[in-house]
Amino acid sequence: MTRRAAPSSPFPSSCPTPWYGAVGRRIATHWVAKMIGTTAGITGFFVLYFWVMHNPPTPPTVMPLTALDHWVGVSDEAMLLYGSLWFYISLPPAFAKDWAELRACARDAALMAGMGLVVFWFFPTTVPAFAVDWAQYPSLMFLKNADAGGNAFPSLHVAFAVFTAVLLQRQLREVRAPAWVRVLNVLWALGIVYSTLATRQHVLLDVLGGTLLAAVVSQAGTARARLAWNEA
């Protein structure tokens, strides 16, 4: 008796993994070390950040305002975007595919934080005393009580947002994420940058300084990655 051939599957056996599946595998890789390392890194940064802010060696310089600073309005809702940075910056280490990428991410983040803290120490700065009734903005009043607006230039809030956006774009391209996901990544980073002005935690010059700092560190990290790839 002739055996009938089994019907072929409509999906090829070597069907590529969807982008979200690839992201899930990356998150599951060394997830305990990622969780502990990210938590320890953020905690350590805050300890140093607030110590430097509350112990400046010289009186802080008040950062000047520009026309854009006057144009951007105060927004209590911007606090949500501002606070989202601390979840946003945890994504690149979570998406790291191996130890090498995780170490590179931690190294560059530590380098950027260190450079910012050195500038804060040798050139203390603060934002102006804005004529705002913070009682009308409950979320922002909480922020102002916790963070007095020192360590203004360069804005590390902006630097970490831009740095994270660059790393995430690279990772999302590697897993072939659709364009809308990459656009969302850019919009999130831009929203955080906007929030630094809308919460009056920073002024435009701080934003430009933070962007420049992130660009320098990101470019150095890319150059090292290309060198390692060529030598492999």
Side-chain angles (χ1 to χ4, degrees), residues 170-185:
R170 186 182 308 157
Q171 294 171 323
L172 292 172
R173 284 196 300 267
E174 289 178 356
V175 299
R176 295 182 174 84
W180 69 265
V181 177
R182 301 196 300 273
V183 170
L184 181 61
N185 171 47

Side-chain angles (χ1 to χ4, degrees), residues 68-150:
L68 183 65
D69 295 306
H70 293 289
W71 181 77
V72 176
V74 181
S75 171
D76 207 41
E77 291 74 20
M79 180 61 184
L80 181 61
L81 277 170
Y82 190 84
S84 73
L85 173 77
W86 305 112
F87 176 74
Y88 187 55
I89 63 174
S90 70
L91 297 181
F95 291 177
K97 62 180 178 293
D98 52 30
W99 279 116
E101 185 174 344
L102 185 59
R103 284 196 299 268
C105 178
R107 176 199 62 215
D108 291 345
L111 173 63
M112 189 168 64
M115 292 171 66
L117 291 171
V118 167
V119 174
F120 296 156
W121 177 255
F122 287 101
F123 180 51
T125 51
T126 186
V127 297
F130 294 101
V132 176
D133 181 6
W134 297 114
Q136 297 182 16
Y137 305 94
S139 296
L140 298 188
M141 187 167 63
F142 170 80
L143 177 62
K144 295 301 177 180
N145 290 334
D147 187 347

Side-chain angles (χ1 to χ4, degrees), residues 63-66 68-70 72 82 112 120 123 125-128 130 149-163 189-216:
M63 295 299 295
L65 297 175
T66 66
L68 183 65
D69 295 306
H70 293 289
V72 176
Y82 190 84
M112 189 168 64
F120 296 156
F123 180 51
T125 51
T126 186
V127 297
F130 294 101
N151 292 350
F153 180 91
S155 168
L156 284 184
H157 218 84
V158 170
F160 275 110
V162 174
F163 174 71
L190 290 175
I192 293 173
V193 172
Y194 155 76
S195 75
T196 64
L197 299 175
T199 58
R200 295 298 190 265
Q201 284 297 100
H202 291 284
V203 300
L204 178 61
L205 292 179
D206 305 334
V207 169
L208 296 178
T211 302
L212 177 61
L213 176 58
V216 169

